[in-house]
Every structure is written in C-alpha cells, then in structure tokens.
Amino acid sequence: MTLPLIASALAILYSLYLIRWVLKQPKGSPEMIEIANAIAEGSSAYLKRQTINISFLAIPIAILLAYFLGLNTAIGFILGAAASAIAGFLGMNIAVRTNLRTAQAAKKGLKSALETAFKGGSVTGMLVVGLALLVVSLFYLFTQDLQALIGLGFGSSLISVFARLGGGIYTKGADVGTDMVGKIEKDIPEDDPRNPGVIADLVGDNVGDCAGMAADLFETYAITLIAAMLLADIIFKQPNLVTYPLTLGAIAILSSIIGSFFVKLPKSKKIMPALYKGLIVSSILALILFYPATMALTNISNLAVYLSSFIGILTTALFVVITEYYTSRSFKPVKSIAEASTTGHGTNIIAGLSISLKATFLPVLVIALASLAAYQLAGLFGVAIAATSMLSLTGIMVAIDSFGPITDNAGGIVEMTKQPAKIRQVTDSLDAVGNTTKAITKGYAIGSAGLAALVLFSAYTQELSHTTAAMNFNLGNPYIITGLFIGASLSYLFAAYSMEAVGKTAMAIVKEVRRQFKQIKGLMEGTAKPEYSRCVDIVTQAALKQMIVPALIPVIAPLIVGFTLGPQALGGLLIGSILTGIFVAISMTTGGAAWDNAKKYIEAGKFGGKGSLAHQAAVTGDTVGDPYKDTAGPAINPMIKILNVIALLIAGFLT
Amino acid sequence: MTLPLIASALAILYSLYLIRWVLKQPKGSPEMIEIANAIAEGSSAYLKRQTINISFLAIPIAILLAYFLGLNTAIGFILGAAASAIAGFLGMNIAVRTNLRTAQAAKKGLKSALETAFKGGSVTGMLVVGLALLVVSLFYLFTQDLQALIGLGFGSSLISVFARLGGGIYTKGADVGTDMVGKIEKDIPEDDPRNPGVIADLVGDNVGDCAGMAADLFETYAITLIAAMLLADIIFKQPNLVTYPLTLGAIAILSSIIGSFFVKLPKSKKIMPALYKGLIVSSILALILFYPATMALTNISNLAVYLSSFIGILTTALFVVITEYYTSRSFKPVKSIAEASTTGHGTNIIAGLSISLKATFLPVLVIALASLAAYQLAGLFGVAIAATSMLSLTGIMVAIDSFGPITDNAGGIVEMTKQPAKIRQVTDSLDAVGNTTKAITKGYAIGSAGLAALVLFSAYTQELSHTTAAMNFNLGNPYIITGLFIGASLSYLFAAYSMEAVGKTAMAIVKEVRRQFKQIKGLMEGTAKPEYSRCVDIVTQAALKQMIVPALIPVIAPLIVGFTLGPQALGGLLIGSILTGIFVAISMTTGGAAWDNAKKYIEAGKFGGKGSLAHQAAVTGDTVGDPYKDTAGPAINPMIKILNVIALLIAGFLT
C-alpha cells in the first residue's frame, strides 16, 4: 500500500507544480483578461450551483446508505462524491486560467502555445488520477471494507453522471444555439464578439469538456480499481491480490508523469505525433514496470496476469488507432461526410449517421475479443486486470484530452479580441487535434467502462452466488431476457432525454440571440455590445433543470426491476445496458467528432470551402453531432456504472 | 390440416376476386395511363433484375443445403423463396394498376378513392398470408419434415432481406435525391413533372413499400409459424400441437377477410377510424374463434395457451396505439419536431433523433413483459403462441399498410397530369394516414419478429441440448458475452451499410437531376421534358449493386462465429442481434415516420407553412428519416431472422 500512496501524492504535488508554472505565464492584454474573467466567472458560478443541486439528492442518498448499509458505505459515498467534485472543480479552475495564457503564448508560436495548453491540461489529468488513487487507497487502508468502497464508487458515479449531463447540456445547448443563428442565419464566424451567445459557448467548453470530463474519468478510474479489488477478494481472498490493482495504478501514474515530459512539438510541427509520443512512452514504461510488480505481488499464474495487463494496454492502443481513423480529417470516413455535404444538409446527415453506426463495429469487436482473451488467460480476474491496466493510463489520457477545451477557449479569446489571423491559426490547428483527442478519450472511457462494467456484473453474480445457491443467469430464462430488454432500453431512453435537453436549451438560445440581433441597434455593425450574461443565465438554468430526469433513470431503474422482477432480471438489465450503452456511446462520440472534423475539412478549403452550400450542410452536421459527442454519448458511460453499482449495493437485499 | 388448406385457398381466391374488381375500375385519361405505364414498366423491370440477381446466390445455397442437409431442405428453401417472390411480385403488379384507378376514383371523392386503394392493398395482404399458409401447410403435409421447413423459412428470409434492402435502397435513393434538388434547391413541389427523378421516385414506392414489404411480412409470418411448430415438436412431440399454429393462422385469415369488409369511410370522413374498424373486427373475431379451436386442439393446460394467444393480440393493439402516438400529427412527438424546425435544420434533426431514440422504450417494454407473461402462462410454447397470434393478423395489417404506397403513387399521377388541386387533396389525406399505417406495420413486424426470434433462439438451444448434454448459455460465460457483443454489432453494421447505400444512391441522383436542370433548356419553364429513364437506370443499378454487402452480413456472420467461437458464442450472437436489432429498427421506423409527418404538419399550415424556414428544415428531417424508415429500419427484421435460421440449420454441425 506504500507505492499507491506515494504515487498519488506525487501526482498531486506535480499538479501543484504545474499550477504554479501556469499561473506564472503572461496573461496578455486587459481586453483578453476581461473576457477570460467573464468565462471564469460564468464557469465557477455554474459549477457551484450544479454542486449545490446535486447535494440535494446526494444527502438523502447518504442517509439511506448509512441506514441500510452502514456508516462506512455512507462515508465512502460522500468521500467519492467530494473527491470527484474537487478534481473537476480544480481542473476547470486551472483550465479557465490557462486559456488566457495559451492565447497569449500563441503570439509566440505553436510550440509555446502547445506547451502552455498541455501543462494546463496535465493539471486535470494528474489531479484525476492522483485524487482517485489516493482516496481509494486511504479509504481501504483505514476501513478494510470493500463493501464501503462500492459506496465510494457510487458517490463518484453520481457526481459524474450529473457533471456529464449538466455540463454536456450546458456546453452543447449554448454551442448549438449560438452557431445556428451566428453561422447559419447571420453568416458571422465562430466566436464572433457580436454574437450574444459566445461567452455562454466558451463557458460551456469548461463546464462540459473540462469539469464534466474530469468527473467522468475520475469515476471510471475509481470504479475500475474498486471492481478489480472486489473481484480479487471474492475469488482469491488474498490481501496481496486485492491491493495489486492499486499498485498497477501507481506504476502507471509514475509512467504518465515521465511520459508527459515527452510531449514537445517536433521539428515537423505536427501536433498529433507530439501527443502520441507522450502516450507511447507512458504505455511502454508502464508495461515494463508492470512485469516485476506482477511477478512479485501475484502468486497465481503470474505470467497470465501480466499478459492480461498487456491486453489492456493493447486495447487502448487499438482504440486510439480506430478512433483516429474514424474522426481524423486524413481518412476516408470524415472525407466521405464532407463529400456528402456537397449535395446538401440531408445527405450530410445521412452520411454522418452511417459513419456513426459503422464506427461501433471495430471497437466492440476489440472489447469482445479482449475480454475473451483476458478471460482465457486468467479468468474473471484477468478481465478485471485488463480493465485496470487499460484505465491506468487515465492520467496522460486526460492531459492529452483537456488541452483541447483550453485551446478552444484560447481561440475564442483570440477571436473576440480581434487578434491577427495568424494567432487564430495557431489556436485553430491545436483545436482541430483537440477534436480527435477528445473523441479518443471518450472512446477509451466507454471501452474501458464496458470492461469495468462486465467486471461489476461478475461481482454482482458472485455476490448473489453467496446468498442463494442456485442463481443462474441463463439466456433461456425469461427473466433474464426481460431484464436484457429493459436494460437495453435504458441507454436509449437516457440518450433520448439528453438529446432533447440540448435541443430545448438550444432553441431557447436561438430565440434569445435572434431577439438581441433584432432589438439591439448596431449589434450586427459592431457598434453596440450584446448582453452576454442573458445567454449565460438562460443556459445555466436550462442545464440545471434538464439534467434531472435523465440522471434519475439509472438511479431508479435498478431499484424497480430488482425489487419487482428479482435479481435475475436485474442481472439481465445490467448486461442489456452495457450492450446497448457501448453502441450508443461509441456511435455518438465518434460520429459527432467525424461531423465536426468534416466541417473543419471543408473550412480548410475542400469542396468549396467556407460559405459554400457544402459548408452550410456541414455546419448542420456539426450541430447535430454536438449533443451526440458531448452530451448524450459520454454521459452513457457513468450511467452504465451507476446501474451496476446500485445493483451491487442492493444485491444483499434481493432474494 | 384441412382448415389451414381451406383458409389459404379462400384467401387466394378472395385476392383473385379483388384483382378482377380492381381491373374493372376506370383507368382515367390517356395522360394518366401513360405515366402509370411508365411506373409499371420501371417497377417490373427492376423486380425482374433483382430476382435474377438473388438467384445467383440462392442457387449455390440450395445446392449446399441439398448436400449437407438433404434434398427436402433444399426444396423447402426454393419453395419458400419462390412463394415469397411471387407474393411480392403479384402484389406489386396489382398495386401499379390500382394507383391509376385510385387517381381516377379520387375524382369522385374520398370514399371511392379509399375503397379502390384499400381493395388493391388487400390483394397483397391476402396473397401474403394465403400463399405463406398454403406452402407451409402443404410442404409439411407432404414431407412431415420440420427440419426441411426451416429451409423453407430460410428461403423466404433470403428473398426478404434482399427485397427489403434492394427495394429500400431504390425507393429512398430516388426519393431523397429527387427531393433534395426539387424541393430544396429548385423549390418545386413533390411529384412535379419537371423533376427528372419523379418517375424513379414513384417506381420506388412500388418496389420498396409494396414488393419489399410484402416479402418481409411473408417471411415474418412463415418463420413464426415454422418456429412455433418446431418448438411444439421439440417440447411436446404431439402432432396436434405441431399443427395448432397453422389452425390459428387459418382462423385469423378468415377473420381478416370478414374484417376487411368493415373498412368503409364513416360519415365523419375520418380515414384512420375506418381502417381501425377493420382491424378491430378482425382481432375480436379471431380471439373468439381461437377459443374453441384451442380447447379442441390442445390437450395441455389449454386456457393458458388461449391466454397466450390473447397476449399476442393485445401486444398488437398496444403496438398500434404506441406507434400512432409517436408518428401521428395529432400528438406531442410530431408536433415537437415541427416546432424544433422553426429554429433550423440542426434542431429539427436533434429533435427527430431524440424522438426516434425515445420511441423504443414502450414497445420494447411491451415485448419484454408480453414474453414474460406468455412464458409464465405456458412456457416457451406460450411465447411461440403469442408470436403466432400476433402475426396471424398479417393479412389485414398488410392490407391497411399497402394502401399507403398506392395512394402515394396515385397522388404522383394526379400531380404529374396537373389535375385540379381538390383531387390532390383527396390523395394527400389518404397518403398522410398511409405514413402512420406504414410505421405501424413496421413496428408490428419488428415486434413480432422479436418474439419469433426469441422462439427461434429457444429452438436453437433445444437443438443443441439434444446433441451435447451440458450446453449452457449463462451470462457468466465469456463466449456468451463475446457472442452478445458481436451479435449486437451486426444490427449496427447492417444499418450503417444500408444508410450509406441510400446516401450514395441519392448523391448520384442529385448529380443527375442537377445536370438535367442545367443542360436541358426549358426544363424549369415546363417547355421541355426531362429524361426520366436516365434516373430510373441509375437507381436500378445502384440498388442492385449496393444491396449485396449488407445482405451478406447476416448470411456469413453466423457461419464464422459458429465455426470459430463455437455454439455458445453463436447463441450469444443471436440474442445480441435481437436486442440491438429491435432498438435500431423501432427507432428508425418510428423516427422516420415522425419526421415525415412533422413535415406534413408544417405543410398543413403550421409554424409558417410551406416555403418557410421551418418547412425547409422539416424537409431535411424528412430526407434523413427516409432511409431510416424505409431502408435500414425495416430490413433489420429479416436480418435477425436469417441469423437465427442459419444458426438452427448449422446447429447439428457445431459441437
């Protein structure tokens, strides 16, 4: 247990060092500072209100947990929720400070901008893994209570689903609404200061892509560790195996810190290879160090266990490659969407939808075969270790991801303060890469979540096998089939409500932006200032209101099914939700990114370039892809895990 | 066995009577006849080439079946394929003759047009059930070979998947391509004779919505009967129970014939209630007659069996109500899409996608609970009987459905020959109802297919339980999980290829239509005629080429998985494909119809009416909904069943 504590402390210390470094960078002109302050203010205000709103649900849940499952579980729940919220909050607060400094650094060039943005993003990455490993390790050290650890996972899941939903509705409601009037009706560029929705849009990047994403990966990381520990305990009952997943996490944190030093712009000026270098160094280092650790710590066929961890890293690599293929401007899928835009809005959407459906096949095949291979190697524990090893790279992954919203924001500040076009080009090229890395992280999160959820399901069946002897989960059993259907429907229902929420919020923004353009004289000419704060208020209220219904679906459904149709139907529900959840999530996150980059491909001058009919159609596709990739898709991930965690918690009460 | 033979003979005779009646109706002006002939010619030419192309695959399959599974199975395969093709071919040939007569009848008013269109549609309905029940009954009577009956099912499935795909790609490739230039770029109305794609579009209604739909429901009906018979044999080994499903089919045919006489326009002039009346009378009559038949023929707890058949009819009723809620202009979902159109293309698509996702929940819940209830009543046989009883109403359902494409075509003829607006109003009001009935039939087909597929899966597991003793399909087994994932991915992959095919075909048509508008002088002014046949050729070739890859997916996948990963993974694959298949299919068919009717709602004068920005956005939504509802969505249905049938056929070779 020493190594995990040291590694997590190191990660937190390193992130403090990075914060100091970032804050020391020059902040740019007073104009830029003014805008950055407006963004920071809007972001903090929203996140505070979101946290307060969630606590209205979290406090009664904590009380129920204390009553039914004991004080430890309730404390774990609060701890998990608090740590997840803190990781998101701190990460976002640094991001809103880094955006300004990245905009300033962009004046010096790409190299400097990349360094600033990546270091700012690394704060979130290190905080996520550092805090998660720390609370899981410390809590287990003091309580030795695995049941209570599930409570900790539940707390982080609950924060995560709300953060993903609220943040996602916020960011995309603002983005879609702002773009639909600005880009399509008024034909003014993105982030134009005349657009009344632009500050709300920039705030959205932070509360959604930064805070929401951090909470999501905190949860995925913590839950995976917990599931692996739980399974080790159930199967082997050996303390050294129970803490082994924590050791893998610790090793990967150290590797990620070292790997992050390798992210530097090469002479070729290509950004993606710079990021990949960091990831590859971290992966290889982790794989090398996993070997002695596995040999020393595991006394069951340790080569098989090591190979399982290898499968986890390999799966990550394959996910990165597949996602890049489907979302990068260099390959056929994105080009085919761009080409379809030349014949209009309809064919753009049809092409994008077919790419989004098709993009599920390879990732799912990889997950299916990886879990099969890991199982063949080391049984269920092998699957758990593959998931742990896959997730262990979260630190570097989040760092690579969250530089995206930072540069997106930096670009906004550059545009709004009317800096020279050259500077905007620097931030734009970083932003385009950010689109793909964001898609990669989401694919990675949902893929590993699939594995983690399978582990949780196994833990659930194992729990039940202790209580009742002859619990079977045979597909011939009609309760299992009914459960599968109901579980499968939850991902669809959840995604439907999330999409609807974005649509409604966007419509409200469209109306407000149209109103301001109509009523504020001189706005279009640039002689009058828009009322940014009205849009910020509208989105804040809409997001807080509309996140509630979808977030309650995964909390309530397992209780209803578990207590009416019984534990077998609930088991079916878990697998059903994992099955469709992975498809809905991957199709949405990948499809959305492909739409976005198809638009960027046209904006780079292909198929008629900016202002052409193809561009108009591509903007529509991007608009549709927005709630896909940043709201509904990524929120599926915590949803699946809440279902599984609640099932685990109530397993003891079902007979 | 007497009753099924009598009932199927009666259905065929009745359809012959209807054909005579339709052909006696007046055909209208020479202009109208000319257009109808062009449509008929294009439709027949396409269907012939499609049939020839399929036979290149069907003949080697028949030889393989004869070699590995015996001559009976091969003969059954050919018989099933031939009967399915004949039902579609005859039905379509009458439809292309009824369209003209309906256009003429519309001059006399709504009542007369409804009568003509419904009688023409009833030909297809009666032929589908009559031929299906006849070949299944006769083949079983002569061979007494249930294994060979699976071959018959396979034959009909193969025709069905190609007909759905080929017809679907044809109809929507033409429709989308024609509309995108005509309605959006040129701002001319639907079916305007100046549009070069208009004949191809009208041909598409026949080969897709008529022939494709007929083949699909033939297959669903036949497969369900066969699955129920197979299961009765496996479980009970009693001949009276094996033929009992055929008797239910026979009773429902008689009820459907009687019910169809009740379809008459009421004084209120409301069309939907007229159609419902026919359906309700048929259902009640069938339910009454099922009772004595069940009591006489089944010697196992016959009340439970009767109640299972009741569940099947109830499920049908609930499906009708739910689908109407989501797709009719009278309710919130369609109105919400229409409202979202006021803020642009993007919000229209987002709203439509969220409705399409949400529309899966209730139907799936109904299927899940219906199968559970039927199982509780009478075990697996109960589920089989619920599916049979649900499907037994196919005759009246298809009649109600296929009046839709007939009136759609009639409207086209009216528009192209520039008849007074009053006549177009008559066909339009019938067409709008047709949209909803088409969605209902598709929901019904996929819902019943879900039940039928569960029965086939059970038959598959039972087959295997005979060969190897300890075959288990436990969710804890990694092969099952891997199979589930792979099976689930097939629906997505299949839908992706189908959507892509429509997109590509539509793009080809857009380019051709744009070319003609540019190069043919006087086309837009109406002084020159377009080259309709060029568009017909392009769509024909595209559809024939593009249907191949998706159609092969369900043929090849079970062979690969079965022979490499084994029978358990294959079992998982079957359930996985049913699970995601039902969601993909329902979301697409319902969502597509909702988009279409949202457009019609705006065209009726709401939210700015025709020509407004909202209308433009709604046309985009309709365009996207087209391949959803008429290509990818409905083709999922035969896909699922091919997977299951092939699994059943190869079960004996897997160990």
Side-chain angles (χ1 to χ4, degrees):
Chain A
M1 287 298 286
T2 331
L3 191 63
L5 291 175
I6 292 173
S8 52
L10 259 178
I12 294 170
L13 286 175
Y14 181 53
S15 71
L16 292 177
Y17 158 77
L18 288 171
I19 291 175
R20 266 177 66 100
W21 184 91
V22 165
L23 293 180
K24 268 191 207 153
Q25 303 307 306
K27 300 197 320 192
S29 69
E31 257 189 309
M32 288 164 71
I33 295 174
E34 191 196 328
I35 289 165
N37 283 343
I39 299 172
E41 210 177 279
S43 307
S44 289
Y46 173 75
L47 216 57
K48 268 180 208 150
R49 287 183 60 178
Q50 183 178 278
T51 313
I52 292 168
N53 280 21
I54 302 172
S55 39
F56 283 112
L57 181 65
I59 291 168
I61 290 180
I63 294 169
L64 287 173
L65 288 176
Y67 183 78
F68 285 107
L69 292 160
L71 199 59
N72 273 356
T73 305
I75 293 172
F77 172 79
I78 294 168
L79 202 62
S84 164
I86 290 169
F89 208 79
L90 286 180
M92 190 197 77
N93 267 300
I94 296 309
V96 295
R97 280 162 182 82
T98 316
N99 56 12
L100 173 66
R101 289 155 174 97
T102 303
Q104 179 64 16
K107 293 180 183 170
K108 281 200 269 174
L110 192 60
K111 191 179 160 71
S112 175
L114 173 63
E115 189 187 2
T116 311
F118 181 73
K119 286 202 169 157
S122 299
V123 173
T124 312
M126 291 304 145
L127 277 176
V128 164
V129 289
L131 278 172
L133 190 63
L134 186 71
V135 292
V136 172
S137 304
L138 274 184
F139 189 70
Y140 181 66
L141 189 67
F142 282 112
T143 63
Q144 300 283 324
D145 182 345
L146 282 164
Q147 184 71 27
L149 261 187
I150 305 173
L152 194 153
F154 183 27
S156 66
S157 289
L158 194 77
I159 290 289
S160 169
V161 78
F162 276 105
R164 266 300 192 195
L165 277 172
I169 295 168
Y170 192 113
T171 178
K172 292 304 132 174
D175 191 0
V176 170
T178 306
D179 281 1
M180 283 185 65
V181 183
K183 290 195 196 167
I184 298 183
E185 295 180 14
K186 299 286 170 187
D187 204 20
I188 57 177
E190 180 140 2
D191 300 325
D192 191 290
R194 288 172 289 177
N195 195 323
V198 67
I199 293 284
D201 184 9
L202 292 168
V203 169
D205 292 339
N206 294 300
V207 301
D209 298 347
C210 197
M213 183 272 300
D216 181 1
L217 278 133
F218 181 98
E219 180 255 17
T220 308
Y221 185 82
I223 289 268
T224 308
L225 287 178
I226 294 167
M229 293 167 76
L230 201 61
L231 209 68
D233 181 63
I234 291 171
I235 301 176
F236 305 107
K237 297 252 170 245
Q238 292 179 16
N240 58 324
L241 289 173
V242 173
T243 57
Y244 167 69
L246 297 175
T247 307
L248 292 184
I251 291 172
I253 284 183
L254 301 175
S255 312
S256 296
I257 294 177
I258 297 169
S260 73
F261 291 116
F262 285 80
V263 176
K264 279 207 178 81
L265 198 70
K267 281 181 188 149
S268 70
K269 297 260 176 192
K270 286 194 173 160
I271 306 158
M272 204 73 196
L275 299 173
Y276 278 162
K277 209 168 157 194
L279 184 59
I280 292 168
V281 170
S282 307
S283 308
I284 292 175
L285 220 54
L287 268 185
I288 293 171
L289 295 172
F290 282 175
Y291 187 76
T294 308
M295 292 300 157
L297 285 174
T298 62
N299 44 359
I300 45 155
S301 57
N302 33 29
L303 186 65
V305 173
Y306 176 69
L307 288 174
S308 303
S309 77
F310 186 83
I311 287 174
I313 303 282
L314 183 68
T315 305
T316 303
L318 289 172
F319 259 70
V320 170
V321 173
I322 295 167
T323 311
E324 199 190 340
Y325 172 73
Y326 278 106
T327 61
S328 156
R329 292 184 271 174
S330 315
F331 301 102
K332 210 184 122 198
V334 167
K335 287 180 187 167
S336 74
I337 298 176
E339 195 194 340
S341 312
T342 60
T343 42
H345 301 266
T347 38
N348 169 288
I349 301 291
I350 291 172
L353 286 172
S354 79
I355 294 295
S356 88
L357 293 167
K358 207 191 259 180
T360 58
F361 183 68
L362 290 177
V364 168
L365 199 65
V366 167
I367 286 289
L369 296 179
S371 66
L372 189 61
Y375 187 92
Q376 298 291 5
L377 281 166
L380 275 177
F381 189 62
V383 180
I385 292 310
T388 306
S389 136
M390 188 169 177
L391 248 310
S392 72
L393 295 172
T394 297
I396 183 84
M397 275 290 193
V398 170
I400 289 175
D401 175 306
S402 56
F403 105 104
I406 291 174
T407 55
D408 196 350
N409 254 251
I413 294 171
V414 167
E415 183 77 32
M416 287 191 69
T417 55
K418 297 181 182 145
Q419 309 286 332
K422 224 182 67 187
I423 301 178
R424 175 83 202 203
Q425 271 168 26
V426 170
T427 59
D428 266 3
S429 59
L430 287 168
D431 188 24
V433 172
N435 257 332
T436 295
T437 60
K438 269 160 63 182
I440 288 173
T441 314
K442 285 167 202 155
Y444 165 78
I446 186 71
S448 51
L451 284 180
L454 287 178
V455 176
L456 287 170
F457 170 77
S458 312
Y460 171 76
T461 58
Q462 303 281 346
E463 281 285 319
L464 288 169
S465 72
H466 285 245
T467 51
T468 55
M471 190 64 70
N472 93 66
F473 288 89
N474 202 300
L475 285 177
N477 181 326
Y479 283 97
I480 299 289
I481 294 288
T482 302
L484 278 171
F485 275 115
I486 294 176
S489 75
L490 296 180
S491 314
Y492 273 77
L493 197 63
F494 181 84
Y497 276 108
S498 322
M499 296 280 291
E500 196 179 276
V502 173
K504 281 184 184 168
T505 310
M507 280 171 69
I509 288 294
V510 166
K511 283 175 188 159
E512 172 62 17
V513 173
R514 280 182 184 167
R515 183 195 69 77
Q516 292 200 23
F517 271 117
K518 203 184 265 175
Q519 296 183 354
I520 301 177
K521 299 262 175 273
L523 182 54
M524 194 64 194
E525 296 72 32
T527 53
K529 273 189 98 175
E531 299 163 8
Y532 299 125
S533 60
R534 291 266 306 164
C535 290
V536 172
D537 282 350
I538 289 172
V539 187
T540 300
Q541 279 166 26
L544 291 174
K545 187 181 149 199
Q546 311 240 23
M547 70 180 180
I548 297 169
V549 172
L552 287 180
I553 292 173
V555 177
I556 293 169
L559 299 175
I560 295 177
V561 170
F563 289 110
T564 61
L565 297 175
Q568 290 171 316
L570 183 54
L573 177 145
L574 299 181
I575 292 291
S577 71
I578 297 171
L579 258 189
T580 54
I582 287 194
F583 284 91
V584 172
I586 294 182
S587 70
M588 288 186 165
T589 55
T590 311
W595 259 314
D596 194 345
N597 279 341
K599 185 197 65 176
K600 288 204 157 63
Y601 186 72
I602 291 177
E603 285 175 351
K606 301 293 187 325
F607 298 115
K610 273 195 184 179
S612 63
L613 177 74
H615 185 235
Q616 291 270 321
V619 170
T620 295
D622 178 36
T623 305
V624 174
D626 272 341
Y628 251 48
K629 73 181 188 333
D630 290 320
T631 314
I636 294 278
N637 181 359
M639 185 207 80
I640 293 174
K641 276 168 288 150
I642 292 201
L643 289 171
N644 278 277
V645 166
I646 292 184
L648 261 176
L649 287 172
I650 64 174
F653 300 95
L654 304 171
T655 35
Chain B
M1 287 299 286
T2 333
L3 191 62
L5 291 176
I6 292 173
S8 52
L10 257 178
I12 294 170
L13 286 175
Y14 181 53
S15 72
L16 292 177
Y17 157 77
L18 288 171
I19 291 175
R20 267 178 65 102
W21 184 90
V22 165
L23 294 180
K24 268 192 206 152
Q25 303 308 306
K27 301 200 312 194
S29 68
E31 258 187 309
M32 289 163 71
I33 294 173
E34 192 196 329
I35 288 165
N37 283 345
I39 300 172
E41 212 177 277
S43 308
S44 288
Y46 174 75
L47 217 57
K48 267 180 207 150
R49 287 183 58 179
Q50 182 178 278
T51 313
I52 292 168
N53 280 20
I54 301 173
S55 43
F56 283 111
L57 181 66
I59 291 167
I61 290 181
I63 294 168
L64 287 173
L65 288 176
Y67 182 78
F68 285 106
L69 292 160
L71 199 60
N72 273 356
T73 305
I75 293 172
F77 173 79
I78 293 167
L79 202 64
S84 165
I86 289 168
F89 207 80
L90 286 180
M92 191 196 77
N93 267 301
I94 295 310
V96 295
R97 280 162 182 79
T98 315
N99 57 11
L100 173 66
R101 290 157 174 94
T102 303
Q104 178 64 17
K107 292 179 183 169
K108 283 200 267 173
L110 192 61
K111 191 180 161 74
S112 175
L114 173 64
E115 188 186 4
T116 311
F118 181 73
K119 285 201 170 159
S122 299
V123 173
T124 312
M126 290 304 145
L127 278 176
V128 164
V129 289
L131 277 171
L133 189 63
L134 186 71
V135 292
V136 172
S137 305
L138 273 184
F139 189 70
Y140 182 66
L141 190 67
F142 282 111
T143 65
Q144 299 284 321
D145 182 346
L146 281 164
Q147 183 71 26
L149 260 187
I150 305 174
L152 193 152
F154 184 25
S156 67
S157 287
L158 195 76
I159 289 289
S160 169
V161 77
F162 276 104
R164 265 301 191 194
L165 276 172
I169 295 168
Y170 192 114
T171 178
K172 292 304 132 174
D175 190 1
V176 170
T178 306
D179 281 359
M180 282 185 66
V181 184
K183 290 196 198 168
I184 297 182
E185 295 180 13
K186 298 287 172 191
D187 203 21
I188 56 179
E190 180 141 3
D191 299 326
D192 191 290
R194 289 171 291 176
N195 194 325
V198 67
I199 293 283
D201 184 10
L202 291 169
V203 169
D205 292 339
N206 294 301
V207 301
D209 298 347
C210 197
M213 183 273 299
D216 181 1
L217 278 134
F218 181 98
E219 181 254 17
T220 307
Y221 185 82
I223 288 268
T224 307
L225 286 178
I226 294 166
M229 293 167 76
L230 201 62
L231 210 68
D233 180 63
I234 292 171
I235 301 177
F236 305 108
K237 300 247 170 250
Q238 292 180 15
N240 58 327
L241 289 173
V242 173
T243 57
Y244 166 69
L246 297 175
T247 307
L248 292 185
I251 290 171
I253 284 183
L254 301 175
S255 312
S256 295
I257 294 177
I258 296 168
S260 74
F261 291 115
F262 286 80
V263 177
K264 278 204 179 87
L265 197 69
K267 280 181 189 149
S268 69
K269 296 260 179 194
K270 286 196 174 161
I271 307 158
M272 204 72 196
L275 299 172
Y276 278 163
K277 207 170 160 193
L279 184 59
I280 291 169
V281 170
S282 306
S283 307
I284 292 174
L285 219 55
L287 268 185
I288 293 170
L289 295 172
F290 282 174
Y291 187 75
T294 307
M295 293 299 156
L297 285 174
T298 63
N299 44 0
I300 46 155
S301 55
N302 33 29
L303 186 64
V305 173
Y306 175 70
L307 287 175
S308 302
S309 76
F310 186 84
I311 286 175
I313 302 283
L314 183 68
T315 304
T316 303
L318 289 172
F319 260 69
V320 170
V321 173
I322 295 167
T323 312
E324 199 190 341
Y325 172 73
Y326 279 106
T327 62
S328 155
R329 291 185 272 175
S330 315
F331 302 101
K332 208 184 125 199
V334 168
K335 286 179 187 170
S336 74
I337 298 177
E339 196 195 338
S341 312
T342 59
T343 42
H345 300 267
T347 37
N348 167 289
I349 300 291
I350 291 173
L353 287 172
S354 79
I355 295 294
S356 87
L357 293 167
K358 207 190 259 182
T360 58
F361 184 69
L362 289 177
V364 168
L365 200 65
V366 167
I367 286 289
L369 296 179
S371 66
L372 190 61
Y375 188 91
Q376 298 292 6
L377 281 166
L380 276 177
F381 189 63
V383 181
I385 291 310
T388 306
S389 134
M390 189 171 175
L391 249 312
S392 70
L393 294 172
T394 297
I396 183 84
M397 273 291 194
V398 170
I400 289 174
D401 176 308
S402 56
F403 105 104
I406 291 174
T407 53
D408 196 351
N409 255 251
I413 294 171
V414 167
E415 183 77 33
M416 288 191 71
T417 55
K418 296 179 183 148
Q419 310 285 332
K422 223 182 68 187
I423 302 178
R424 175 82 202 204
Q425 272 168 25
V426 169
T427 59
D428 266 2
S429 60
L430 287 168
D431 189 23
V433 173
N435 259 332
T436 294
T437 61
K438 268 160 67 181
I440 288 173
T441 313
K442 285 167 202 156
Y444 165 78
I446 185 70
S448 52
L451 283 181
L454 287 178
V455 176
L456 287 170
F457 170 77
S458 312
Y460 171 76
T461 58
Q462 302 283 345
E463 281 286 318
L464 287 170
S465 72
H466 286 245
T467 51
T468 56
M471 190 64 69
N472 93 67
F473 288 89
N474 201 299
L475 285 176
N477 181 327
Y479 283 96
I480 299 289
I481 294 288
T482 303
L484 279 171
F485 274 114
I486 295 176
S489 75
L490 297 179
S491 314
Y492 273 76
L493 197 63
F494 181 85
Y497 277 108
S498 323
M499 295 281 291
E500 195 179 280
V502 172
K504 283 183 183 169
T505 310
M507 281 171 70
I509 287 294
V510 165
K511 283 174 187 160
E512 172 62 18
V513 173
R514 280 183 185 166
R515 183 195 69 77
Q516 292 200 21
F517 270 116
K518 204 184 263 176
Q519 296 183 354
I520 301 176
K521 298 261 176 273
L523 182 53
M524 193 62 193
E525 296 73 32
T527 54
K529 271 189 101 175
E531 299 164 7
Y532 298 125
S533 59
R534 291 266 302 163
C535 288
V536 171
D537 284 349
I538 289 172
V539 188
T540 300
Q541 279 165 27
L544 290 174
K545 188 181 147 201
Q546 310 241 26
M547 70 180 180
I548 297 170
V549 172
L552 288 180
I553 292 173
V555 177
I556 293 170
L559 299 175
I560 295 177
V561 170
F563 288 110
T564 61
L565 297 176
Q568 289 171 316
L570 182 55
L573 177 145
L574 299 181
I575 292 291
S577 72
I578 296 171
L579 256 189
T580 54
I582 286 194
F583 284 91
V584 172
I586 293 181
S587 70
M588 287 184 165
T589 53
T590 311
W595 260 313
D596 195 345
N597 279 342
K599 184 197 65 175
K600 288 203 158 64
Y601 186 71
I602 291 177
E603 285 175 350
K606 301 295 187 323
F607 297 114
K610 273 195 185 180
S612 62
L613 177 74
H615 185 235
Q616 292 270 322
V619 171
T620 295
D622 177 36
T623 305
V624 174
D626 272 341
Y628 251 48
K629 74 181 189 330
D630 290 320
T631 314
I636 294 278
N637 181 0
M639 185 206 80
I640 294 174
K641 276 168 288 150
I642 292 200
L643 289 171
N644 277 279
V645 167
I646 292 184
L648 260 178
L649 288 172
I650 65 173
F653 300 94
L654 304 172
T655 36

